[in-house]
């Protein structure tokens, strides 16, 4: 039962079995009820025919019944005494009395006794007495037109016992005597039909359930075959550590195909992440190797020749190494999903503060921050100050004579910090690549004073984690314009 196919086949079989059992029982009950109603209708017709004869004052021994072997008749009076029975009826049950011998002292007209033969069973010739007895009394009785009473019972006719559906109809003779006619109809057809249907169901139900289980097993196996292919390929990818491989995608548009496509998209993202991590490690190693080698060389020369020790150069390499290590640690924290602290701060005041601390800039920075503006945002003060500092450092590196930083509010309450310069600008085809890690354009490499190509990458990552974005475009002065857009708290 650990297999999905087995569970699906078992579940489908159980559901179908319950449905078929319920439907089968309903069919049997409806079939039995319909056949029983038909038998009751036949019994009612016979009972009303006999009751009609009694209402016409036909003598008991001359009552006519249709097919007495299939429709036994018993007539009782108000006191429950049997006054007439059909020929060859030897036993009966289900009518209120099991007597089948007419009472010798009948309460109504007629000669009494059963309808055994045309002579009333007394052996006398059919003479004038019969003619007098056959003459009905003045007046006419009536048959109860209400709904008859029904019941099930048994009767023995001509030595054979069977089940019957009995209908009881009341009739009043012209003499005012109330009689009850009990007429039966056989239930053999109902029992045979129900038995046949039940037997067919008992034979067909297991076969049908086997077919359902088999079909469900085959269909489920076919449906899960692509899933097994995906599993095998994923296991092979895990064993080989080759993230360039992809799982097979079926041509269908079902859930399995969407699973395969999502898996391949995940593998693509994972491959890109691993490749970016490898490139990051390689670039970091390369960037760290240069200042460390330079610092070591200077220290070795200073140890051998103290008079040749370049202390300012060693300090510069140490500062560069320290800044690079700080950038790498910040990127590692950002990659690990570190969320910035959410404190309210004035971005305009932060810009003024950051510019005021930059005493060694090559080009003075022009600040444009309105005094009456609402520039409050939520975020990490240290990380946002790092973004502003990186943008100013980048502008100082490429500007010819002017660097400007401004703060304004935009639509939907966003706060925008713009840093512009009058340098060569950024070509449109390179405006996304410059935000990648360790990327420096050729022009930047010739003028770089120690940057590792991480400043803009850090700035964009921090902006994204604060719910904002960092973009680059053209400045009016002809250089680059970097815009940091953050959601305001107002």
């Amino acid at each position: 039962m650990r297999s999905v196919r087995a569970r699906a086949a078992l579940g489908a079989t159980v559901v179908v079995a319950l449905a078929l059992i319920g439907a089968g029982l309903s069919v049997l009950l409806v079939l039995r009820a319909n056949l029983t109603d038909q038998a009751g209708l036949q019994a009612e017709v016979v009972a009303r025919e006999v009751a009609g004869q009694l209402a016409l004052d036909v003598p008991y021994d001359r009552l006519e019944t249709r097919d007495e072997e299939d429709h036994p008749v018993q007539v009782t009076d108000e006191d429950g005494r049997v006054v007439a029975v059909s020929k060859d009826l030897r036993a009966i049950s289900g009518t209120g009395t099991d007597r089948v011998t007419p009472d010798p002292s009948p309460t109504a007209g007629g000669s009494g006794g059963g309808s055994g033969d045309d002579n009333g069973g007394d052996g006398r010739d059919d003479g004038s007495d019969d003619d007098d007895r056959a003459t009905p009394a003045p007046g006419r009785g009536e048959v109860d037109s209400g709904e008859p009473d029904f019941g099930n019972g048994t009767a023995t006719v001509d030595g054979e016992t069977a089940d019957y559906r009995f209908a009881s109809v009341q009739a009043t003779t012209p003499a005012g005597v109330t009689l009850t006619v009990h007429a039966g109809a056989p239930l053999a057809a109902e029992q045979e039909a129900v038995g046949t249907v039940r037997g067919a169901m008992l034979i067909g139900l297991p076969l049908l359930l086997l077919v359902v289980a088999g079909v469900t097993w085959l269909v489920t196996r076919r449906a899960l075959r692509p899933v097994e292919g995906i599993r095998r390929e994923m296991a092979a990818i895990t064993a080989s550590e080759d993230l360039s491989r992809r799982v097979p995608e079926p041509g269908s548009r079902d859930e399995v195909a969407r699973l395969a496509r999502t898996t391949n998209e995940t593998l693509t993202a994972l491959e890109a992440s691993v490749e970016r991590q490898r490139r990051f490690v390689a670039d970091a190693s390369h960037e760290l190797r240069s200042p460390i080698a330079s610092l070591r060389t200077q220290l070795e020369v200073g140890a051998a020749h103290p008079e040749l020790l370049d202390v300012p150069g060693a300090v510069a390499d140490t500062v560069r190494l320290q800044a690079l290590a700080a950038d790498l640690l910040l990127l590692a924290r950002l990659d690990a999903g570190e969320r910035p602290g959410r404190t309210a701060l004035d971005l305009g005041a932060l810009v003024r503060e950051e510019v005021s601390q930059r005493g060694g800039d090559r080009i003075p920075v022009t600040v444009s921050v309105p005094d009456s503006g609402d520039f409050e945002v939520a975020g990490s003060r240290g990380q946002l100050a790092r973004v502003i500092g990186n943008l100013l450092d980048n502008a100082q590196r490429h500007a010819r004579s002017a660097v400007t930083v401004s703060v304004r509010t935009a639509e939907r309450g966003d706060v925008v910090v713009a840093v512009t310069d009058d340098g060569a600008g950024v070509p449109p085809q390179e405006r996304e690549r410059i935000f990648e890690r360790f990327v420096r354009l050729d022009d930047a490499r010739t003028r770089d004073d120690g940057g590792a190509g991480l400043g803009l990458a850090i700035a964009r990552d921090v902006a994204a984690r604060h719910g904002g974005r960092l973009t680059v475009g053209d400045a009016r002065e002809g250089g680059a314009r970097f815009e940091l857009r953050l959601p305001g708290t107002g």
Side-chain angles (χ1 to χ4, degrees):
M1 295 308 297
R2 296 180 180 178
S3 170
V4 175
R5 289 174 294 178
R7 291 198 297 269
L10 178 61
T13 303
V14 171
V15 171
V16 173
L18 293 177
L20 290 179
I21 291 174
L25 291 177
S26 300
V27 169
L28 289 177
L29 292 176
V30 171
L31 178 63
R32 174 174 293 176
N34 289 337
L35 294 177
T36 301
D37 290 342
Q38 291 181 6
L41 180 60
Q42 295 177 10
E44 181 183 357
V45 171
V46 175
R48 290 193 180 278
E49 289 180 354
V50 175
Q53 298 177 51
L54 292 174
L56 295 175
D57 204 24
V58 175
Y60 301 144
D61 57 351
R62 293 191 179 184
L63 295 174
E64 296 181 1
T65 59
R66 63 167 72 179
D67 196 1
E68 295 180 350
E69 292 183 359
D70 289 337
H71 302 287
V73 176
Q74 179 193 57
V75 182
T76 60
D77 61 11
E78 296 174 337
D79 298 327
R81 290 191 297 265
V82 177
V83 298
V85 296
S86 59
K87 185 175 66 175
D88 296 329
L89 180 61
R90 297 295 178 264
I92 193 170
S93 66
T95 60
T97 177
D98 57 359
R99 294 183 59 191
V100 293
T101 303
D103 192 286
S105 300
T107 59
S111 64
S115 59
D117 54 32
D118 293 340
N119 295 326
D122 56 2
R124 292 180 298 174
D125 293 335
D126 189 11
S128 60
D129 292 340
D130 291 335
D131 294 337
D132 295 339
R133 185 177 53 199
T135 302
R140 183 173 180 175
E142 63 179 7
V143 178
D144 185 5
S145 61
E147 190 72 18
D149 296 329
F150 293 98
N152 294 337
T154 60
T156 302
V157 180
D158 198 16
E160 295 184 0
T161 302
D163 295 327
Y164 289 85
R165 179 72 168 174
F166 288 102
S168 301
V169 177
Q170 289 187 346
T172 304
T173 65
V177 178
T178 301
L179 301 175
T180 303
V181 180
H182 306 282
L187 294 175
E190 177 264 340
Q191 294 172 348
E192 182 179 358
V194 172
T196 301
V197 174
R198 182 172 55 244
M201 288 182 177
L202 292 177
I203 295 175
L205 180 61
L207 296 178
L208 183 58
L209 292 180
L210 286 177
V211 172
V212 170
V215 171
T216 304
W217 177 277
L218 294 176
V219 171
T220 307
R221 184 178 67 176
R222 182 178 180 84
L224 293 179
R225 188 176 299 163
V227 177
E228 178 61 22
I230 294 174
R231 187 203 63 80
R232 287 197 299 266
E233 186 63 25
M234 288 297 293
I237 292 174
T238 303
S240 64
E241 298 183 357
D242 182 8
L243 296 178
S244 63
R245 300 174 61 173
R246 297 294 181 265
V247 301
E249 295 186 14
S252 59
R253 298 182 179 180
D254 54 11
E255 293 82 355
V256 177
R258 291 197 293 270
L259 172 63
R261 286 193 292 271
T262 303
T263 302
N264 285 334
E265 291 172 0
T266 303
L267 288 173
T268 301
L270 183 60
E271 181 185 16
S273 176
V274 171
E275 181 62 28
R276 185 170 59 250
Q277 192 69 21
R278 289 173 178 170
R279 188 168 61 249
F280 174 77
V281 172
D283 292 340
S285 300
H286 175 75
E287 294 293 337
L288 289 172
R289 186 181 300 114
S290 297
I292 291 177
S294 175
L295 183 60
R296 178 179 177 180
T297 300
Q298 294 181 52
L299 293 177
E300 288 177 347
V301 171
H305 307 282
E307 69 282 1
L308 299 179
L309 178 61
D310 184 9
V311 175
V315 172
D317 287 339
T318 304
V319 171
R320 180 183 177 190
L321 186 61
Q322 182 182 12
L324 180 58
D327 288 343
L328 294 176
L329 289 175
L330 178 57
L331 285 174
R333 291 200 304 268
L334 293 177
D335 289 341
E338 179 182 284
R339 294 185 176 273
R342 293 288 178 176
T343 58
L345 57 94
D346 189 331
L347 202 57
L350 183 62
V351 168
R352 291 193 188 96
E353 180 182 346
E354 187 66 22
V355 172
S356 66
Q357 295 177 358
R358 301 176 64 87
D361 285 342
R362 180 174 62 88
I363 300 172
V365 179
T366 302
V367 180
S368 176
V369 180
D371 295 331
S372 59
D374 182 10
F375 307 121
E376 188 174 276
V377 297
S380 170
R381 185 180 187 86
Q383 291 187 8
L384 292 178
R386 184 69 172 274
V387 172
I388 297 171
N390 288 352
L391 294 179
L392 292 174
D393 288 341
N394 181 76
Q396 289 287 338
R397 223 176 265 126
H398 302 284
R400 294 189 180 93
S401 60
V403 174
T404 303
V405 56
S406 63
V407 182
R408 62 182 177 87
T409 56
E411 63 278 3
R412 296 178 301 181
D414 291 347
V415 180
V416 179
V417 177
V419 178
T420 60
D421 61 71
D422 60 350
V426 181
Q429 67 273 16
E430 302 288 349
R431 288 178 181 175
E432 284 300 317
R433 197 170 73 89
I434 61 174
F435 292 106
E436 297 178 7
R437 298 174 182 182
F438 298 105
V439 171
R440 290 173 294 192
L441 303 183
D442 293 338
D443 180 65
R445 289 182 184 274
T446 59
R447 303 180 57 169
D448 199 283
D449 58 355
L454 294 177
L456 295 179
I458 292 175
R460 170 164 278 191
D461 284 350
V462 171
R465 281 166 174 76
H466 280 77
R469 62 180 185 271
L470 178 62
T471 58
V472 61
D474 294 327
R476 288 196 302 265
E477 296 83 355
R481 176 184 177 88
F482 288 83
E483 281 195 355
L484 170 65
R485 182 181 294 262
L486 297 175
T489 60

